[in-house]
Amino acid sequence: MKLSTGIILASMASTCEAFVPPSSISQTSTLKMVGEEQQEDEPIDVSPYYDTANGSASSFYEPPMEQQQFYSPPPPVRPPLPSNSKAIPFLPRPEALDGSLVGDVGFDPLGFSKTKEDLWNNREAEIKHARLAMLAAAGWPISELWDAKIASKLALAPVVDGSFRAPSVLNGGLSKIPAAYWIFCFILAGTVEVIGASEKTKPGYIPGNLGFDPIGLYPKDLAGQKRMQLAELKNGRLAMIAIVGFAAQEFVTKTGVVVESAAFFQPAF
């Protein structure tokens, strides 16, 4: 009778457990075999992942430096580079032009950049010429428009000729430029080179980065910085083509660009 009563109670207990929530089941005690010691589960150390100092495990925090190698995310996977140049699709892509620099479209038909060092040196030269060309592309027509007027106000001889052509190697007239101007240009160029040499030693340096941003136009985020670098590079490349066009046009036509292309430089009324 006692045995049958025990069996009935045990079956009722197991039936009741089927209706108890899982969280309650995990907290109930279970029957253990004789001689088996009850072991408590060791608590899981969540400190490398969560901030438990505030009593909450909901805020993520950065692990210590010695542990970051275990928790840092994997580096992004770069897509495979094309075998042919993006700029000239029928030519193979130069090996050194791996897309690591902004504005790299695989254009090097004469093979100037054979190594990574060559690529960086050529980018340095390109960005310097691009910046000078942007200044020249603006200064060339401005000098043809305003030089004679300013010179007459100051009782000086104008440097543009009778056809409103600016002084250049092809046009001549460079002897009209005062020596003080050339001295100033050499001093300014030397200063910029010294600053550039000191900036190259800083971590994260990219070609052309002189740290010059007096009005804070350079973005803080990486995507914005690349966008600004690309805009400068594209405008600089266009300016280099434009300044060559100015010099060639004036040499052939013997007329200033402000006269030859008056629609761009003269008022329409």
Side-chain angles (χ1 to χ4, degrees):
M1 183 65 179
K2 291 183 179 181
L3 180 59
S4 60
T5 303
I7 294 174
I8 292 173
L9 292 176
S11 61
M12 291 176 63
S14 60
T15 304
C16 292
E17 286 185 355
F19 298 95
V20 179
S23 59
S24 301
I25 296 175
S26 60
Q27 296 177 2
T28 57
S29 59
T30 58
L31 297 176
K32 295 184 178 294
M33 297 179 62
V34 178
E36 181 181 358
E37 297 181 357
Q38 184 177 359
Q39 298 180 353
E40 295 183 357
D41 294 337
E42 296 183 358
I44 299 176
D45 183 16
V46 296
S47 59
Y49 305 97
Y50 297 97
D51 182 12
T52 57
N54 298 324
S56 172
S58 59
S59 56
F60 188 79
Y61 94 115
E62 185 177 0
M65 290 298 297
E66 63 272 8
Q67 297 182 8
Q68 286 189 9
Q69 56 178 329
F70 301 107
Y71 310 118
S72 59
V77 179
R78 294 180 59 184
L81 294 172
S83 58
N84 287 357
S85 169
K86 184 179 179 180
I88 312 177
F90 56 85
L91 291 181
R93 177 186 58 82
E95 184 177 354
L97 276 66
D98 56 358
S100 57
L101 291 179
V102 172
D104 179 5
V105 291
F107 183 80
D108 188 18
L110 300 181
F112 289 125
S113 299
K114 294 180 173 59
T115 64
K116 200 72 173 178
E117 183 179 1
D118 293 339
L119 178 63
W120 276 61
N121 290 335
N122 290 333
R123 174 52 62 87
E124 286 275 5
E126 180 184 28
I127 197 67
K128 288 178 182 178
H129 283 81
R131 288 168 177 170
L132 284 174
M134 285 188 284
L135 292 173
W140 188 301
I142 288 175
S143 67
E144 294 182 347
L145 288 172
W146 294 350
D147 175 74
K149 297 176 182 179
I150 295 175
S152 64
K153 295 290 185 182
L154 300 177
L156 299 173
V159 297
V160 297
D161 61 12
S163 300
F164 296 96
R165 295 188 305 167
S168 69
V169 175
L170 297 179
N171 291 341
L174 291 177
S175 59
K176 299 179 181 179
I177 307 300
Y181 173 80
W182 298 117
I183 294 174
F184 170 76
C185 289
F186 279 112
I187 293 175
L188 180 62
T191 304
V192 172
E193 288 297 321
V194 171
I195 295 175
S198 63
E199 290 291 330
K200 288 181 181 180
T201 60
K202 297 181 180 179
Y205 172 80
I206 59 173
N209 183 14
L210 303 179
F212 181 77
D213 186 24
I215 57 178
L217 293 178
Y218 197 58
K220 303 299 182 182
D221 60 295
L222 183 59
Q225 291 175 0
K226 289 186 176 182
R227 184 176 63 253
M228 184 71 75
Q229 294 166 18
L230 184 60
E232 181 185 31
L233 198 59
K234 286 184 175 181
N235 283 276
R237 289 170 176 172
L238 184 61
M240 286 189 282
I241 296 174
I243 203 65
V244 172
F246 287 176
Q249 179 177 331
E250 292 193 355
F251 176 72
V252 172
T253 64
K254 306 302 180 183
T255 305
V257 293
V258 295
V259 178
E260 190 73 19
S261 306
F264 295 102
F265 303 105
Q266 300 291 342
F269 50 88

